[in-house]
Amino acid sequence: MAKLDPILDFHFAALGDSTRREILSRLARGSATVSELAATHDMALPSFMGHLKKLEEAGLIVSRKEGRVRICTLAPDAFVPAQDWLSAQRDLWNGRLDRLDDYVTNLMKERNS
Amino acid sequence: MAKLDPILDFHFAALGDSTRREILSRLARGSATVSELAATHDMALPSFMGHLKKLEEAGLIVSRKEGRVRICTLAPDAFVPAQDWLSAQRDLWNGRLDRLDDYVTNLMKERNS
C-alpha cells in the first residue's frame, strides 16, 4: 500500500477538479486532440493546458504529437489504483460491520440460553 | 452527474493526501478518538487537526464529543460517490473497447466474405 501512496496522491488530487474529471470522461469515450478537448471548456487556453499537464503528470492521460496536433488518450488502467484503494477501504468497513453483526448475534444467543 | 460535482471535488481533494487516507483506513476498521488517531502520526497536533477538519468538511468523517474526548467515525457510504464516478468512467472505457472490438470483427468478416 505504502509503495502506491505517491501515485494515489497524484491521482486523487488530479481527480479533485471538475474540469479535469470532464476531460477524463471525454477521453474514456476515445482519444481527442487538445483543440477538441478545449472547445467544450469556456476557459483561457493556458489554464486549460495546465489541467492537461496535471493529468499527464499524474499518469492519468498520455499525449503524442501528430504533425501540428497533439492527441490525448486515457492512460491504460488509469483508474485502477484509486479504485483498488477505495475497494480496500470498503472491504475493511464491511468486515467491521460483519464483526459487529456476529457480536450482536452471539450476545442475543447468550441472553436466550 | 453535474449535481454531484462539488461533492466529488471535496472527496477526491480530501483523498489526495496520504495522512488523510491513513485516517480513513483506520476509521474503516472502527471509530477512534482524536488522540488515538493522532498517536500514530508524527505531526504537530494543529496540522493533524487540519487534516481531520478537511475530512469532516468533505463529509467523509463525522465526529461527536463525549465528555472531554472527540470520537471520529467514517461517514456512512463515504466512498460511494468517488467509486460510482470511477466505475462510470471504466464503463465508458470498456464500452469503447467493445465498440472497437466489434469494428475489427466486422472488418475481418467483410474482408473474408
Side-chain angles (χ1 to χ4, degrees), chain A residues 52-68:
Chain A
L52 287 182
K53 193 181 168 204
K54 194 150 187 172
L55 288 171
E56 196 156 11
E57 283 172 349
L60 289 169
I61 70 170
V62 288
S63 76
R64 66 181 192 280
K65 202 114 192 234
E66 280 195 12
R68 286 187 163 195

Side-chain angles (χ1 to χ4, degrees), chain A residues 63-103:
Chain A
S63 76
R64 66 181 192 280
K65 202 114 192 234
E66 280 195 12
R68 286 187 163 195
V69 295
R70 181 165 290 279
I71 298 169
C72 300
T73 305
L74 194 68
D77 299 328
F79 302 121
V80 171
Q83 283 194 305
D84 283 353
W85 187 86
L86 290 166
S87 297
Q89 308 321 306
R90 275 190 114 173
D91 290 346
L92 286 174
W93 177 254
N94 290 336
R96 177 185 161 274
L97 293 182
D98 289 345
R99 287 194 301 278
L100 191 66
D101 198 35
D102 289 347
Y103 173 75

Side-chain angles (χ1 to χ4, degrees), chain B residues 46-80:
Chain B
S47 304
F48 188 77
M49 294 302 287
H51 285 304
L52 287 181
K53 192 179 169 205
K54 194 149 189 175
L55 288 171
E56 195 155 13
E57 283 173 350
L60 289 169
I61 70 169
V62 289
S63 75
R64 64 181 194 282
K65 201 112 191 236
E66 280 194 13
R68 287 184 163 197
V69 295
R70 181 166 289 278
I71 298 168
C72 300
T73 306
L74 194 67
D77 299 329
F79 302 121
V80 170

Side-chain angles (χ1 to χ4, degrees), chain A residues 23 33-45 48-49 52:
Chain A
I23 295 169
T33 66
V34 170
S35 309
E36 285 167 345
L37 291 171
T40 57
H41 294 272
D42 187 18
M43 185 181 290
L45 192 61
F48 188 76
M49 294 302 287
L52 287 182

